[in-house]
Amino acid sequence: MARSTSTSATELGVTQTPESELPIWKTWPGNDRFYCDGRCMTGPSPMNLVGTCLIVIVPSILFNVLVTPDVADATHVVVLAVGISWPVWCLFNLLKTGTTEPGIVRRRPKPTPTFDGRVRPRYKSVAVPTTGLPRGNPGGCTAGTGGSGNSNSNNTDAEDGSGETQKQVTVKWNDTINQYQPPRAHHCSANDDCVDKFDHHCPWVGTTIGRRNYRAFIFFVFGTTLLCVYVAFVCGYQVKLSYDKLPSSNKSRALRAIAGAPAAMIILVLAFLGFWFVFVLSVFHTYLICTNQTTYENFRDGYSAAENPWNKGCFGNCFEVFCAPQQRSRFAFTKPAGQQPCDVDEARETEVELGKREKRRVERDERRRKEIGDGDLEMGETTSGTTGTSPNKNKTETESGTKKEKDSSRNKKEGKPSSSKAGGALKALATKTKTSVDEVTIQMDDDDPSDDGYEGDRDRTPKV
């Protein structure tokens, strides 16, 4: 029988690093691609990003080589400076969009089954704070339709005790990350990641657009729109320069001018076609920004701007997209799993849970305080009633004492023994039987081990 030639890593003297000590980009469960030892990350289609970069680079080079110099000589050198710097800025935002982690939600271990065997609900409602803007037309924006993806508003307003208005939204359980998705998050099937504030998966960039790369994406779309306008204007100006150089008596002067600047006409046509694509995209995302929606929310759900729990008004929505601090990534791809940053979702859930517990504690203390106050009030009323009837009681006791004195004097006259003499006879009888009243009481207490201080239902027969 032939001997197997395969050898294990241990036989070769190679020590395998435990998976828990490897950088997480080497064991990443999603479809994302990593380069430069995890320092660069792209989506599952990096060649799409390369193709889009070429679409920007090639026309820009032709434009700055064949068109811009003539126009700059006829006008100003600023035309050439803008023609070089503007495409570079657009290319920078494109690369930043495609290589930025979009806001992936961390995956958690599979939860243990519940003790009672109940199935975890697929959806649940959570409260999200709003800006406290009045209902109707917040921030002066026109009402539109939109949604919150997996965070559907239930039109329920509440206050958390601090005066801050809250709305209930619905979140969905995600079996991939083993937790409820954060509000506005959605699982992208292309990247196989749950992305916070999911907007859409862009095939031109090759990755998902989410919370952390949406700003760069918007800068790229708006910048490309303006670049197309600028390129078309400069190319048209070069055709005009060619037209002015021809004699006015020349027939078909316009056709000859176009023939004198062929590169400008080709680039002008490309810029015109590209403009309509990015222009429509810019208008649509301008509407989304002003109403604080995402593409996924707008296409899936629909509610007015007054019902949108994320709407902060036009100015507040624009500030959030363009000026608000960028959220840090939940991952350090070059470090192992044990050295990852704090889980912001878990910290947020813990903070919410602590807030709920504190709220319940305050409500419980308030309820107890109210009950104690009501008890003191009832006790005070009882004491007041007793005090009010004290004169009658004193009168009754006085009448009873007078009656006893009369009975005692009558018994003396008739020769009957008084109650005091009867008591003396009973005492003598107790002495004769060697048992005193105290001994009877002590013996009765000692024989009953279940004594708890209450003698209402106890057999009071003396035990001799």
Side-chain angles (χ1 to χ4, degrees), residues 245-257:
K245 291 179 181 179
L246 296 174
S248 57
S249 60
N250 193 349
K251 296 181 180 181
S252 62
R253 186 180 179 184
L255 294 178
R256 290 180 177 275

Side-chain angles (χ1 to χ4, degrees), residues 132-191:
L133 293 174
R135 296 179 64 86
N137 193 15
C141 288
T142 57
T145 57
S148 57
N150 290 320
S151 308
N152 305 323
S153 175
N154 295 334
N155 300 333
T156 303
D157 292 344
E159 291 189 1
D160 61 352
S162 62
E164 185 179 38
T165 305
Q166 293 186 340
K167 287 190 177 183
Q168 295 290 329
V169 297
T170 302
V171 294
K172 180 181 178 182
W173 176 266
N174 191 320
D175 293 323
T176 303
I177 62 175
N178 296 313
Q179 63 173 308
Y180 286 100
Q181 297 176 163
R184 312 190 82 177
H186 179 69
H187 190 84
C188 178
S189 57
N191 288 46

Side-chain angles (χ1 to χ4, degrees), residues 20-37:
S20 60
E21 298 180 4
L22 291 173
I24 62 172
W25 70 269
K26 292 187 176 181
T27 59
W28 187 252
N31 298 331
D32 308 277
R33 306 287 184 88
F34 295 89
Y35 307 92
C36 301
D37 292 335

